[in-house]
Amino acid sequence: MQDNPADTALRLGGQEANRPVGQAIMRGMLNTCPACGGGKLFRAFLKPVDRCAACQEEMFHHRADDLPPYLAILVLGHVLLGGFMMTDLIFPASDWVHLAIWAPLGVITTLLAIQPIKGGVIGLQWALRMHGFGGESDDAAEYDPLPKDQ
């Protein structure tokens, strides 16, 4: 049985090391280094460390960009909308009462969920060797869209 190429990496001496995707995502969601699980992933609320203090894995080249907010909106929007609709069926109230309940709840749950979601995205990028986590450069200047002979 052959391993998935995304699950292996070359190390010094030609030995291959696995990078389990689920484990890396879970470590990232727990705000620890996806490589070792020992070091902290964030130095501030949403600012990742440049390198892990425990294993020295570089984290500065991640590109989580807009995916964590999109995931937070997708997940929390469905959960909060479902909660609002079920509450409205059981406890009919005015729109102002629901706004007073669900708007702060939406803000609080988003603030609580955005850091673990971003950590999970960084863990996913590390496990799949995206954006420099595989040792290659991710610089756009190195990519030539057209071959030289055209």
Side-chain angles (χ1 to χ4, degrees):
M1 182 172 157
Q2 191 176 10
D3 288 336
N4 183 355
D7 291 337
T8 58
L10 291 176
R11 283 190 176 176
L12 296 175
Q15 298 175 357
E16 294 183 357
N18 288 332
R19 288 187 179 184
V21 175
Q23 182 183 39
I25 292 172
M26 190 54 105
R27 285 177 175 175
M29 289 181 75
L30 293 172
N31 300 329
T32 60
C33 172
C36 68
K40 288 180 15 178
L41 185 58
F42 294 99
R43 67 175 183 256
F45 181 60
L46 290 176
K47 298 282 186 188
V49 296
D50 288 334
R51 72 178 59 239
C52 176
C55 69
Q56 301 303 311
E57 178 75 27
E58 295 177 340
M59 297 291 163
F60 63 87
H61 41 67
H62 80 89
R63 289 195 182 162
D65 297 335
D66 293 335
L67 184 60
Y70 291 149
L71 293 175
I73 290 168
L74 179 74
V75 172
L76 296 175
H78 284 84
V79 170
L80 292 174
L81 183 63
F84 163 74
M85 291 172 68
M86 287 190 305
T87 303
D88 194 43
L89 288 174
I90 297 169
F91 174 66
S94 71
D95 292 339
W96 290 106
V97 172
H98 282 295
L99 183 66
I101 295 170
W102 294 102
L105 194 59
V107 170
I108 291 168
T109 55
T110 302
L111 289 174
L112 290 175
I114 193 73
Q115 189 181 35
I117 290 173
K118 184 171 182 173
V121 169
I122 293 172
L124 175 69
Q125 290 177 355
W126 176 84
L128 298 179
R129 293 175 174 77
M130 298 170 65
H131 308 299
F133 282 116
E136 74 284 344
S137 175
D138 200 28
D139 192 14
E142 294 182 13
Y143 296 110
D144 187 14
L146 296 173
K148 300 279 186 214
D149 59 345
Q150 288 186 355

